[in-house]
Structures are given as structure tokens and as C-alpha cells.
Amino acid sequence: PAAAARAARQRTDVKADRVLDALRDKDSGAREIATTRNAVPGEVVTADGARLRELAALPEVRAVRLTVPKTPQNASAAELTRAARVWRDTGRYGEGVRIGIVDTGVDYTHADFGGPGTTAAYDAVDRTAPWTPTAKVVGGHDFAGDDYDANVPEKATPKPDPNPLDCHGHGTHVAGTAAGYGVNADGATFTGDHADVTPEALAGMRVGPGTAPKASLYALKVFGCKGSTDLLGQALDWSLDPNGDGDFADRLDVVNLSLGTDYGAQDDPDNLFVRKVVEHGVVVVAAAGNGGDFYDIGGSPANAPEALAVANTRDAYSILDGVEVAGRQHSGQYGVSYTAYASLDLTRPVAPVTDPENRDGCGPIADDLTGKFAWLEWDEDDTTRECGSAARTDNAQAAGAAGVLLTASSNTFKAGIAGNAAIPSFQFTAAATEALRPALDDGTLQVRMLGSLRRAVPTITPALADTMTPSSSRGVRGAAAAKPDVAAPGDTILSADVGSGADSVSLGGTSMASPHVAGIAALVRETHPDWTVEEVKAAIMNTAHGRVTDGDDHATGTPEAPMRVGAGRVDARDAVGVDLLALVRDDPGAVGVSFGPVEAAEPMSASKTLAVVNKSSAWRIADLSYEAATTVPGARFEIRPPTVAVPPGGSATARVTLRVTPHELRKVADPTVVKQQADAARQFVAEASGRVLVRSGEATIRVPVYAAPEPVADLTATDLGDGALRLDGRQLDQGEGDQAYRSLVSAFQLQGTSPELPDCTDDVVDDCASNRTAKGGDLRYVGAASADGMLAFGVVTWHNWVTLGGTTSPGVRIDTTGDGAHDYFVEAVKPTDAAGRVTADVWLARTTRVSDGEVVDEQPLNGQYGDVDTNLMDSNVVVLPVELTALGIDPAAASAPLTYTVGTTGKYAAPGDEEGFVDLIREPMAFDPLKPGLGLVGAVSFVAESGAVLEVRRDPAAAPGSLLLLHHHNASPDRAQVLTPQG
């Protein structure tokens, strides 16, 4: 009841005030960031570790958790997903449904939202004065202020103004995709009947309508004009009670979260807010992320089991840059370094480079190109392309060219082109290249470059419809829920452009796919106001039957599996009309069936319950079957019973059973996975996945199914004396090549131990594990070994991590000079580009020299790239190798004593930890890699066979103490063995 809620809030406010009084009591630099009252009552503060420990000791404080900053994740689509069919067939437009846009704010002056539709109206807004909600943007709140940025200390304290007007653009674009009215060609707000909007009419609009064009919008501004945010929880909390009266009756119906953090954990603190608002009836739709096809990169909050996570696919329609040839426009992209596009209007004849060895222009050009555009060939393959666009443009300019034209063999661009600032450059699509090459060959080609054609040329490429956008994140492999849930068009989406009055801008990313689905959720909620959140989510997932493929041609591509697209590409018309639903009963908030990573020591099975729910008034007979997307030898799914009878308004259940025969398992990759990345074999996971098909009459609904089964060994070592160890137990030796599973063992001198961290509680905020994910970085054992010019460190944690280099990153700080300061740092990482984005599933032990920050060595973790399985994911043991010479150590020297410390970093350090470590062994450990016999003979790791005798070169005088053995393929938690040799 509202009265009880208000009383609870008053009690919470009293306690919060006491905490804040204590926070302000001392001049310590501590600051209040935000307050939450409804979903998870609490305060968001920033303070040093000492102050947090003091606050944690207060009786009013129940728990302290670290926030993880989120960043923004970035209308033929309405026809592809049949949202426009919903308008025409059912008269549903989202009317009466409230959609919260948790983002950078909304430009409510834009014509797409019924505003004045002029730039002057936007510029005239007084951001310091309270705003007046409009007929479309009916409410909202600024939690941040324009200058807020969670990642910049001097800007990390929000200073909200009373106006949620967008100063970034992301939120306005997102809001338009979800629920904009649409803008006519003349710049006026579309005020007609959306049921009359034909595909031809859509094509002629300046801005197409959002998927729920009559839904009400709430602008929840959690970002400043740039940067990241820690205010997501506060906005979700507000969504439960917009008017603040303690009564949740006015809660929002749908909330869109086009934001997130890559490699975020499923138990990220913000995911608790997602769970709570869903429990109170709010549908949360979230962008799955733009990290690309890398394992486990899909982040929070989309990976919360309760959220509806949306991947990004392409449709046939896009707006590209253009040039003119004989009065006809041709599509492509202009270079970004040239900035004088506002005045660009240049017509020139086109000439190729005549040197057959230099057609790409990567070498100096001998031709005189004065007064011409240079035609240069472009190689799409990153591994064979000789140079980039900047070098080619420079060479063409040196030859006198007035501009550069680049070819393409694809109709989509993996990346932009740079060119240079002096002359314009333009890259054609493959279709334009093919169309213009004959004129080039006969010497008659003349091209007009026009700045007015930037982002202005409608382009239809039918083959692209329902193909995967490469930047869309591969999902997470949770046991409660595998993500993403569905896919929707999000590439080159035209929507409202902030501050433009009535114009559009083309943006792409899961940020653009998510609001498309948020609008569909509004249509379903309008049609079925009595359905639960899980039923709305199931309606959208069950009917997502669009087949998505990889590559640039849907007809020839390989179908994508649930880890890229969930159930499939959404279909709004079927989601609104469906009356038979299917969802898993074992995992609250989830619809799909996920077993997550599965360790199989012997033949085993695991089952989950699938409920088939009949929302109609007649009995329904449903046939259930399984359709595979990716297969793994030795793993299969069974559905029992194959047929169920479901009473009207009732439900029936079936069991989805995973059966695993361990010795038949092979490490088989998803067919869409590229096995080579960054010039090395990538790490990957064998995944069995597909969809349960539930057929009733002519209708078929789908439920995604996922498991990652792997065989496990059971090996232990026995000391035989004189440096000999015998391995006993069950080994792995199955498969060939990169599909093989073979047991590996590594040996080290045990040098450090660490007790298991307690859970962080209301009075323990330091030296504790803040969540389950943090326990994957809780150190247990550390050892060192040397062999064949290599130094290696073995690290063992108390619990499994999901992935390294993101949420968990072990690192070793090495002092080679004995002055107490570390000279080198060895850390588990993935390759990244200049912007910090991951570029490959190739885990490395990267060694950096501290004095100048130079990377001096990179070795694969566990000493092997992805062509040899070392069970690197879902493990708790890892080897970090480094060449001795990279540390300035001569392997021929007699001695090279060093000391080192080991710590793990990640996103979920204890909130009171001042150094950012999940765990740290602070006491330096001493080791001399040149002393004889520290580790296995000849290498750090060996293939482990039962009955084999391994030779350990170990001089007890030089290396006293126990050995640490890492059995990489043993089951959890038996991968680490501590052994005290007999001599």
C-alpha cells in the first residue's frame, strides 16, 4: 500500500540523513552523488577507503557496493520488424504507455516530439529554469547536469539542473526511435493517422515515426554532455515513483537502457536495480553492447537475467554519403580528416594509377594527376592491405590530385576512412564501384564531390537485410540466462538530431536497436495491459523468428546462434498478436533456457522446466521440438513430452534436458567464429545452442537454448623422490587439432598463499569480495618457475572467473634491481586499439617496463594460443610467462635474484579498497630464475597423461618449500595441488 511505502521511505530518509551527516562531518573530500529510495534504498557517495570503512560501521548501513560507470552504447526498420503493420492492422501505437529513456536527455523542442521544430527554440531553452513537460515528453528528471562525467574526478559530482534537455544527442535519437511522432518532408511534425503510413510514405519522411509513436516519453538524464555515468540506479529507482508520493501506481511501463559497460558481470550492482524494478512491473529493455564478436564481452545491465537484451542487426536501408556522376547519386563514405565539406562542390575527371604494382597508391605515384581525382584500389582484408587511406591520399596529393576515390568490395564499411585534411577523399560501396568501373576503363568517368551529400543518400541493399552487425556484442554465458535475448535493426538508423529542429541523423549500434524493441514492448503492453513483465518479454522473444546470418549477404550467410542474436530478429506484429507463450520456470526473470558452462566428468544430464502458457480462450495442442544452431559432439538436448495440451488461461510444462557424454566432446567452434584474430589462433568455447520450437496450428514460437559443455580430468601428482612426479587419475586425450582436449599440468615453486576473502557486508568494506564475480579474483596460491629462458608465474584464485582481462585481471609487479620499487609489470590482458577497445580473443601476459611504459614482451597466457586448449575461460588457474631477456636478465648469468608481488584488479574491487585491487599479496616474494631446477624440465607446462612420470628440476637448497601444480583441465575446485617433495 502507498501509506506503508511512504512510511518505509520516511524511515529510510531518516537513516540516510544520519549517514550523510556522518559523511559531511569531516572535511575529507567525500561527496554525496545520488539518493535512491524505492528499488534499493541507499546513497551513492564518493569517498576514500577510510571514510567508507567508517560509514560501513554505522548501524544504518546495511551494505556498501562499488558502482561501475556506464557509457552510452550506440525508418525502414519499422517495416522489416513489422511495427508499421501493427499500426495498420491493429490500431496499436503505444497510446497510454509510459517509456522512460534513461540516457543523455531528450530534445523535446524537436518536431519529432511535437516541439516547435526550430534550432532557435532549442537554443532559447533556459536550462537553469524548470521545464514544462509536453504532450509527448510528459515527464522526466535531470540527475546529472550538463558538466557531469563520472570518470573525471572534478566533474564526478552531479550538479543537476531542473531541465532534462539533451546536450549530447544520444538520448534524443534513442527517444525518437522508441516513440517519435515522425517528421514530414517539410519539417512539420507528423500529425496524421499512423495507420495510413505506407512504406512509400515512410521513405518520404524526414524522420520516420518511432515504433510506438503515441507512447508517452520520460526523459531521465543520467549523463552530462559527454562521458560516463554512475547514476543508472538512481534513474531506475525514480522510474518506480515519478511523482515521489510513495505510491508505485505511476511507475513507468517500459524503461530503455541504451548504455552499459563491456565485460560487466551479471551480478553488477546496477543489475540489482534492474531486478527490483522488474519485480514491480517495469519492462527493462537494454542494449547488448557494441564490443563485437568476443566471448563474454556483452555487459551490464543488459546481462541481467530480468532485462530484455537487444543485439544489433542490419536492414536493407541506410543513409550514406554520396557523390554525383552524370546527375546520378552514388553511395559511399567521405574521409573524416577533411573538414571543408560545408563548401565542397568539386567536379573533376577521374584517372587510375597506371603502375600495375601500385594501383592502391600505397607507393609514390609517378602519374601526373593534376586537376583529377585519383582512383585507387582498396583491399578489404586487414591482414593483406598494404596501407591505409591517409598514406594513399598523401601520395595522390603529392602527384597533384584534387581528391581521392577508393573502391570497395563490400556494401558495408567495417570502419571509416581518414584521408587527409588537404584534399577530399571518398570510398564507394561495392555496388557503386561496379557501376562506375566501365566508365573509368573507357576514360569517360567524371565525378562531382558535394558536401551537401554527406549523410544524405538513401541506399537500398537488399542482401544486407537480417545480417549481423559485426560490432554487436557476443553475449554472456550465464547459468541463469544466456544473452542477448533478441535482435533488432540498429545499423545506420535515422532518428531525431538534437538541436536541429526537425532534421535527422544516422547512428548505429545496439543503442539504436534497443529503443526499437522498447517501442515494441510498449505496443505489447498496450495490447495486453494485464500481462506480467515476463509474459511481455516472452511475447517478444517467442515471436522473434527473423533468421539472421553473418557476412554481407543474407542468402549466402551462415545463421547466427543465440549467443549473437538470442531468439532471433524481432517481429512486432507477431509479438502483439501472440496468444501462446513459452518461458523457463527455473530461472526467475529469464525466458530462454541456459545451462551455462557445464563440467562433465562422466555421462550426465541436467534439466530445466519450460512452461507453455495459453492466453487464449480455447484449448491448445502444442508440439515441441529442438532446432540446433550450433552443435557439439557428445552433447544433445531432449524435449519431453513432445506434445502438451494447454487449457485456456492455463499452462503445461515440458522438460528441456541436456545430456553429455564426456569422452565424445570436442572443442568445436560456432561456424560463424573467425578462428584467427590478431595474427594468432583465438580462444573460443564449444557451445551447444539452438531453439525450442513450440508449434500450435500454423503458429510457431521459439525459446533460445544454450550450454557450454566441457570434459574434465581428475589428475593428481605423487612425489617419487629425486625430482620425479607420477601423475595418476583420469586424463583427457580426445580430438585432433584445435578441437582437441588434452590434460595440461604446470609446476611452480609455491611462494605465496592468501586466505579466502569474506563477503563484503555492512561493516566489512575492505579486504572482502564485493560480489560473486569478485571471488574469481580472490587469490589463493602464487608460484614461480623458470625453464628455457622463460620465467613464469602461476596464479590460483579461490573461485572461477568468467573471463580474464575484464572483470578479473591478475598482475605481477617485479623488482629486478632490489630497490623496493617494481621495474616491470606482467598482466593478463587482451589486445586493444588506441581507444581501449578489445580487438581479439587472444589472452596475453603483457610485460611493461615501468620506467618508460614500453611493452617489452607479450606471451600467450598458459604458454599457448587458441590452437591448444588450456581451459583459460571458466577456470581459476593461469600461467603468466615472460622472457628473461625482456626483464634485462641474461639467461647465461649465474644468478638474477628478484622480488615480486601479485594482485588482481577488476571492476568489482571492495568499495573500501583505496588501490583498486580485488585482492593483493602485499609481502614481496623472492625468486631467482637462474637457479637450477625450478619447474618442469624443458617447459612451463606439459601434456598430462595418467601414469606419466614428470621430471622436476628442483634444488631444495635453492628452492625450499612446496611445489604448486596446476592441473588445468581438472574440475572445479580441484585444479591446484600443493605438494611437498621428498627431496
Side-chain angles (χ1 to χ4, degrees):
R6 284 192 289 270
R9 175 179 292 179
Q10 290 172 354
R11 292 192 296 272
T12 299
D13 288 346
V14 170
K15 294 181 179 180
D17 287 343
R18 292 173 186 163
V19 173
L20 292 176
D21 288 342
L23 180 73
R24 304 181 185 113
D25 189 44
K26 296 180 181 180
D27 184 17
S28 61
R31 302 187 303 276
E32 175 189 4
I33 302 298
T35 300
T36 59
R37 293 174 165 182
N38 302 314
V40 184
E43 295 287 339
V44 181
V45 302
T46 178
D48 61 27
R51 292 295 291 131
L52 285 176
R53 286 190 288 273
E54 293 175 11
L55 291 177
L58 296 174
E60 294 85 3
V61 176
R62 180 175 179 180
V64 180
R65 295 291 183 267
L66 195 68
T67 60
V68 178
K70 307 300 187 292
T71 57
Q73 301 280 354
N74 276 348
S76 62
E79 287 294 336
L80 179 66
T81 64
R82 302 207 302 165
R85 279 286 301 275
V86 175
W87 312 336
R88 293 192 286 267
D89 292 355
T90 72
R92 304 290 185 182
Y93 312 104
E95 194 163 10
V97 180
R98 297 159 294 191
I99 303 177
I101 305 297
V102 181
D103 216 294
T104 64
V106 176
D107 176 11
Y108 48 81
T109 73
H110 197 284
D112 197 27
F113 309 112
T118 65
T119 57
Y122 176 82
D123 294 338
V125 173
D126 182 359
R127 298 171 185 270
T128 65
W131 72 301
T132 301
T134 70
K136 168 59 71 173
V137 186
V138 301
H141 190 82
D142 184 346
F143 302 91
D146 288 355
D147 199 42
Y148 170 72
D149 185 345
N151 277 341
V152 179
E154 59 269 23
K155 297 183 177 183
T157 300
K159 297 177 182 177
D161 59 46
N163 197 322
L165 187 70
D166 188 5
C167 59
H168 179 284
H170 191 271
T172 295
H173 193 282
V174 165
T177 302
Y181 289 126
V183 180
N184 295 323
D186 62 359
T189 303
F190 177 80
T191 57
D193 189 342
H194 287 90
D196 296 332
V197 178
T198 63
E200 294 74 21
L202 274 175
M205 297 180 74
R206 189 179 295 189
V207 183
T211 47
K214 291 189 179 180
S216 299
L217 287 170
Y218 286 73
L220 307 185
K221 185 174 184 292
V222 297
F223 292 96
C225 296
K226 60 182 179 179
S228 62
T229 183
D230 281 330
L231 305 176
L232 172 58
Q234 191 181 15
L236 289 173
D237 189 74
W238 188 95
S239 73
L240 288 180
D241 187 16
N243 65 9
D245 67 352
D247 185 350
F248 292 177
D250 61 333
R251 68 182 180 274
L252 303 186
D253 299 297
V254 180
V255 167
N256 183 80
L257 306 178
S258 288
L259 47 77
T261 178
D262 290 344
Y263 294 112
Q266 286 196 303
D267 54 359
D268 183 284
D270 280 332
N271 288 5
L272 177 58
F273 284 91
V274 173
R275 181 174 306 116
K276 291 298 183 180
V277 299
V278 167
E279 288 176 358
H280 287 288
V282 180
V283 177
V284 177
V285 185
N290 305 315
D293 188 13
F294 305 114
Y295 283 87
D296 302 314
I297 198 170
S300 59
N303 60 14
E306 298 80 7
L308 181 58
V310 185
N312 175 18
T313 59
R314 298 182 288 205
D315 66 6
Y317 182 85
S318 61
I319 296 290
L320 300 179
D321 299 338
V323 296
E324 278 188 1
V325 177
R328 180 182 175 187
Q329 296 174 353
H330 292 268
S331 302
Q333 61 175 345
Y334 279 108
V336 298
S337 297
Y338 186 80
T339 59
Y341 288 110
S343 59
L344 177 63
D345 187 348
L346 191 62
T347 303
R348 293 290 186 272
V350 181
V353 175
T354 58
D355 181 355
E357 302 298 323
N358 193 32
R359 291 293 178 88
D360 57 6
C362 286
I365 298 173
D367 301 278
D368 181 4
L369 298 176
T370 302
K372 300 177 181 178
F373 288 149
W375 177 287
L376 304 177
E377 303 293 336
W378 182 267
D379 181 1
E380 301 283 353
D381 190 337
D382 295 341
T383 63
T384 59
R385 187 167 55 247
E386 292 293 332
C387 69
S389 61
R392 302 169 199 240
T393 307
D394 290 344
N395 290 335
Q397 181 188 357
V404 167
L405 299 170
L406 298 169
T407 68
S409 58
S410 171
N411 285 311
T412 61
F413 301 113
K414 297 178 181 178
I417 59 169
N420 69 20
I423 61 175
S425 56
F426 182 85
Q427 183 178 24
F428 293 110
T429 62
T433 300
E434 183 178 352
L436 297 178
R437 194 179 289 279
L440 174 76
D441 293 340
D442 63 26
T444 62
L445 181 60
Q446 185 166 273
V447 171
R448 183 185 184 190
M449 287 192 183
L450 280 167
S452 61
L453 291 183
R454 291 184 74 209
R455 296 186 293 275
V457 179
T459 306
I460 305 294
T461 311
L464 283 180
D466 282 334
T467 59
M468 193 77 215
T469 302
S471 62
S472 189
S473 292
R474 178 171 283 272
V476 295
R477 301 171 291 116
K483 297 287 179 169
D485 295 306
V486 292
D491 201 49
T492 62
I493 298 298
L494 273 180
S495 188
D497 186 12
V498 67
S500 70
D503 287 339
S504 63
V505 65
S506 176
L507 298 176
T510 55
S511 278
M512 285 66 244
S514 180
H516 191 103
V517 175
I520 293 174
L523 299 177
V524 176
R525 295 222 84 162
E526 180 191 10
T527 307
H528 306 289
D530 58 334
W531 284 15
T532 67
V533 171
E534 288 78 10
E535 289 171 338
V536 172
K537 184 177 172 183
I540 296 171
M541 291 180 64
N542 290 165
T543 57
H545 53 74
R547 175 180 177 270
V548 179
T549 65
D550 67 351
D552 296 336
D553 188 335
H554 182 263
T556 61
T558 302
E560 293 283 4
M563 290 307 287
R564 294 305 302 280
V565 296
R569 192 259 300 143
V570 293
D571 186 304
R573 182 65 185 87
D574 284 352
V576 167
V578 71
D579 60 6
L580 192 70
L581 306 175
L583 63 163
V584 67
R585 286 297 193 203
D586 305 82
D587 303 311
V591 171
V593 176
S594 179
F595 297 92
V598 177
E599 296 178 354
E602 56 188 22
M604 53 84 65
S605 65
S607 297
K608 294 201 173 185
T609 302
L610 191 70
V612 180
V613 181
N614 183 2
K615 307 298 287 188
S616 76
S617 58
W619 277 86
R620 301 290 290 274
I621 303 299
D623 297 321
L624 287 76
S625 60
Y626 174 72
E627 180 181 69
T630 59
T631 59
V632 175
R636 69 183 191 278
F637 294 105
E638 297 177 353
I639 317 296
R640 295 287 185 274
T643 301
V644 294
V646 195
S651 64
T653 61
R655 299 289 283 174
V656 181
T657 300
L658 168 69
R659 299 193 184 279
V660 180
T661 307
H663 73 272
E664 295 178 359
L665 291 173
R666 299 294 184 267
K667 191 176 181 184
V668 178
D670 178 335
T672 68
V673 165
V674 177
K675 295 257 190 101
Q676 290 286 123
Q677 290 183 334
D679 297 324
R682 79 181 288 183
Q683 296 284 348
F684 63 91
V685 176
E687 299 170 310
S689 67
R691 286 104 183 170
V692 174
L693 305 183
V694 182
R695 295 184 175 92
S696 179
E698 296 182 358
T700 299
I701 59 175
R702 292 160 175 80
V703 178
V705 179
Y706 177 85
E710 62 177 1
V712 290
D714 185 16
L715 289 173
T716 57
T718 302
D719 182 24
L720 302 179
D722 297 325
L725 303 178
R726 187 185 68 236
L727 294 176
D728 297 294
R730 185 183 65 254
Q731 71 184 65
L732 296 184
D733 184 10
Q734 55 200 70
E736 300 294 334
D738 61 2
Q739 295 188 6
Y741 290 106
R742 290 190 172 82
S743 305
L744 295 180
V745 62
S746 308
F748 305 86
Q749 177 189 340
L750 176 65
Q751 294 205 287
T753 62
S754 179
E756 186 171 8
L757 293 173
D759 292 339
C760 294
T761 62
D762 56 346
D763 56 357
V764 179
V765 295
D766 197 9
D767 292 327
C768 58
S770 61
N771 58 7
R772 185 177 62 255
T773 299
K775 294 181 179 183
D778 182 3
L779 294 170
R780 186 175 186 180
Y781 300 123
V782 171
S786 62
D788 292 347
M790 299 290 293
L791 169 63
F793 300 95
V795 178
V796 181
T797 58
W798 279 93
H799 299 275
N800 288 359
W801 51 72
V802 174
T803 187
L804 290 172
T807 56
T808 307
S809 185
V812 182
R813 289 156 176 80
I814 305 172
D815 175 11
T816 59
T817 59
D819 62 357
H822 66 279
D823 304 295
Y824 297 91
F825 180 42
V826 187
E827 185 181 22
V829 300
K830 281 187 175 183
T832 56
D833 60 17
R837 294 182 292 259
V838 171
T839 59
D841 272 329
V842 178
W843 279 267
L844 302 170
R846 175 177 295 162
T847 302
T848 304
R849 188 166 51 220
V850 175
S851 61
D852 57 7
E854 182 178 349
V855 175
V856 296
D857 191 34
E858 287 185 339
Q859 301 290 332
L861 292 184
N862 293 341
Q864 300 286 345
Y865 290 106
D867 51 346
V868 175
D869 179 69
T870 66
N871 193 30
L872 190 56
M873 304 183 209
D874 307 305
S875 181
N876 68 319
V877 301
V878 66
V879 179
L880 284 75
V882 55
E883 285 192 7
L884 292 176
T885 55
L887 302 176
I889 296 174
D890 180 1
S895 179
L898 54 83
T899 60
Y900 66 97
T901 59
V902 176
T904 52
T905 56
K907 297 177 180 176
Y908 304 103
D913 187 278
E914 297 179 358
E915 299 174 281
F917 287 101
V918 176
D919 197 12
L920 175 66
I921 297 179
R922 293 179 171 85
E923 187 66 27
M925 293 163 277
F927 187 74
D928 190 333
L930 300 183
K931 293 298 183 181
L934 301 171
L936 296 174
V937 174
V940 172
S941 302
F942 268 87
V943 174
E945 298 179 1
S946 182
V949 175
L950 305 179
E951 182 183 353
V952 180
R953 294 184 301 188
R954 177 178 175 275
D955 180 354
S962 300
L963 290 177
L964 172 64
L965 301 181
L966 307 186
H967 300 286
H968 293 271
H969 290 84
N970 275 12
S972 306
D974 300 323
R975 298 188 187 95
Q977 180 184 4
V978 174
L979 189 64
T980 302
Q982 300 177 19

